[in-house]
Amino acid sequence: MRLFPVRNHDTGSLWLAGALNAGSSWVMQVGVFVYVLRHAGASTLALVELAGTLPALLWMPFAGAFADRRDPRRLALGSMAAQTVAVLAALVLMPVSLWGLAACYGLQGAANALWPPARQRWLYAAVPEGRRAAANAALGTVGGVMTIVGAALGGVLSAWSPSAAMAVAAVLQLAAVPALSLPGRPAPGRAARPATAPRTTLRADLAGGFTALRGLPLARSVIWIGIAWGFIGGGYNVLLAAYVTERLRGGAVMLGCFYVVDGAAVLFGAALAARVGARRHLGVYALAYVVQGLGWGAMFLPGLPAAGAVCLAVMRTASGVIIALDTTILLATVPADLRGRVTSLHMTSYGAVSRLALAAFGGILAAAGTEPVGVATGAASVLVGAVWWALDGRRARRRYPGGSVTATGPAPVRAEDAPAKEAAKEAAKEAAKEAAKEAAGAKAAAERTG
């Protein structure tokens, strides 16, 4: 029996490219961290990390709009090629300039921001509707695999030489380019635009994406629950490390073992999600948040490594289910020409609040301690899942596409949902207004200069 019930060449190419890309990012990140800590210190590392992640957060909303305007295959290839150049530049500048290294780290992150929206547009153009949940679940395993492989490889290489780690990161990133160039079905093109629609700017397209969310309540609800979990789980790595080292009195080996449990459980959860029928997507998604919170909170109660590892496995299995279903539910009612923007808005909002939460967790842990904070964040995840189901999930069942389709069954022919149609109309109107304003401004400027 196949682990993920989907047979599609494009899905395999996207998985391989995503794994190589994530592996490169892990190795580069560990290499940068080790190098900066050896030569500068923790305070400088915080600044380098900010310089490395801020450009991606600022660019990501525009990256989604850009992905909706371009051929997703070419955009994905461009993203991988640009990241390769950035990693190679970081390798060259590492012994020369710390801030040059930080700049290259930031460019790599900004180029990587184009990958998720391009990947999803490519996937949805190549995979039939009834197979998309399984395809998303398969792609969701990349994070679990790379948590085990990428972090371990980065740690071993960086302990030997950060420069060697950076060189391997460049090789992995470069290998993603031919992975996306493997022969398969014809490349999906850009989203169709009506012949009468005016040409719009990137800013107008971005504004249209925000406007369209008003008519997409299900997508909007996935974005808000992502924001909520970003605040709750932003300090996950800090809490896990503090739990292992303080509560369990463990060291690097025990922490590494817990991360292996983490990655394996995410893979198992994604495999379970691939077997969930579309009728149960929303209920299972909400339940996974509840189970995730129960497992996370329970982990901080016993002081035994084995019990803690079991609780972590339960928690991260639920996380794997969430990761696998998240994109499927997010894009279920989104028109094709808005998928890049909605994907990027979801990732941007989640990433931004995660960074804010990470900054706040240091003070919270110092004031309250590891166990109370861990139990509280687990309870918050339970509450978020229950509230989402009560306010949005239960109501959305009537509108959820493919309600009679399983992840492994054929996709029925169905008309677009009314909310999605209205959202597309609103987005087009907003884009037309923005284009008209900019044209009027340009005309007025030309008259003044003339």
Side-chain angles (χ1 to χ4, degrees), residues 260-423:
V260 170
V261 172
D262 177 318
V266 168
L267 290 174
F268 181 62
L272 290 179
R275 302 285 169 180
V276 175
R279 284 182 181 273
R280 296 182 291 165
H281 279 179
L282 301 178
V284 169
Y285 185 69
L287 179 62
Y289 269 100
V290 174
V291 174
Q292 175 180 253
L294 292 174
W296 182 239
M299 189 183 78
F300 292 89
L301 298 178
L304 300 174
V310 170
C311 291
L312 180 66
V314 171
M315 181 261 184
R316 293 303 283 167
T317 297
S319 298
V321 173
I322 293 169
I323 292 168
L325 294 180
D326 190 74
T327 303
T328 301
I329 296 173
L330 173 73
L331 300 180
T333 58
V334 176
D337 61 338
L338 294 171
R339 285 173 184 153
R341 277 165 279 185
V342 172
T343 299
S344 285
L345 288 174
H346 181 35
M347 295 190 65
T348 303
S349 57
Y350 172 77
V353 298
S354 294
R355 292 294 170 184
L356 291 175
L358 182 59
F361 260 90
I364 296 173
L365 285 171
T370 304
E371 288 82 1
V373 173
V375 173
T377 52
S381 178
V382 173
L383 181 62
V384 163
V387 170
W388 182 84
W389 175 251
L391 295 181
D392 297 294
R394 185 173 55 185
R395 298 177 183 177
R397 285 182 300 177
R398 297 189 303 273
R399 301 188 304 272
Y400 191 69
S404 60
V405 184
T406 65
T408 59
V413 178
R414 51 177 294 279
E416 289 290 329
D417 288 342
K421 283 187 174 181
E422 291 301 318

Side-chain angles (χ1 to χ4, degrees), residues 21-339:
N21 178 60
S24 174
S25 298
W26 265 108
V27 174
M28 180 183 186
Q29 177 177 298
V30 175
V32 169
F33 282 18
V34 170
Y35 181 83
V36 174
L37 287 172
R38 284 181 184 177
H39 293 83
S43 59
T44 303
L45 176 60
L47 294 176
V48 170
E49 176 69 358
L50 181 62
T53 55
L54 189 59
L57 286 176
L58 295 176
W59 162 242
M60 196 173 287
F62 295 94
F66 195 72
D68 283 332
R69 298 161 65 99
R70 295 291 184 268
D71 181 332
R73 174 169 287 175
R74 292 181 180 177
L75 198 61
L77 287 167
S79 170
M80 299 304 174
Q83 289 182 74
T84 303
V85 172
V87 179
L88 286 172
L91 174 62
V92 173
L93 291 175
M94 179 181 284
V96 178
S97 170
L98 189 62
W99 298 114
L101 171 64
C104 293
Y105 188 28
L107 288 174
Q108 183 269 338
N112 194 31
L114 289 168
W115 166 242
R119 177 198 64 204
Q120 288 308 132
R121 280 212 52 234
W122 184 339
L123 184 73
Y124 276 53
V127 177
E129 183 180 343
R131 304 283 182 176
R132 289 173 185 168
N136 282 326
L139 294 182
T141 64
V142 169
V145 171
M146 286 303 114
T147 297
I148 300 172
V149 178
L153 180 62
V156 171
L157 290 170
S158 298
W160 174 43
S161 168
S163 295
M166 201 67 68
V168 171
V171 172
L172 290 173
Q173 194 65 68
L174 181 61
V177 176
L180 290 173
S181 305
L182 294 174
R185 67 172 62 219
R190 71 182 67 184
R193 183 184 294 270
T196 57
R199 292 184 62 84
T200 58
T201 64
L202 201 61
R203 189 182 69 178
D205 281 354
L206 178 61
F210 279 105
T211 302
L213 282 176
R214 299 174 188 170
L216 298 168
L218 182 59
R220 198 168 62 243
S221 75
V222 174
I223 290 175
W224 82 248
I225 198 174
I227 292 173
W229 176 245
F231 277 118
I232 298 165
Y236 168 75
N237 288 315
V238 175
L239 274 170
L240 182 60
Y243 166 74
V244 171
T245 57
E246 295 176 6
R247 175 73 167 164
L248 301 182
R249 307 293 182 187
V253 174
M254 184 180 291
L255 182 59
C257 291
F258 269 74
Y259 271 114
V260 170
V261 172
D262 177 318
V266 168
L267 290 174
F268 181 62
L272 290 179
R275 302 285 169 180
V276 175
R279 284 182 181 273
R280 296 182 291 165
H281 279 179
L282 301 178
V284 169
Y285 185 69
L287 179 62
Y289 269 100
V290 174
V291 174
Q292 175 180 253
L294 292 174
W296 182 239
M299 189 183 78
F300 292 89
L301 298 178
L304 300 174
V310 170
C311 291
L312 180 66
V314 171
M315 181 261 184
R316 293 303 283 167
T317 297
S319 298
V321 173
I322 293 169
I323 292 168
L325 294 180
D326 190 74
T327 303
T328 301
I329 296 173
L330 173 73
L331 300 180
T333 58
V334 176
D337 61 338
L338 294 171
R339 285 173 184 153

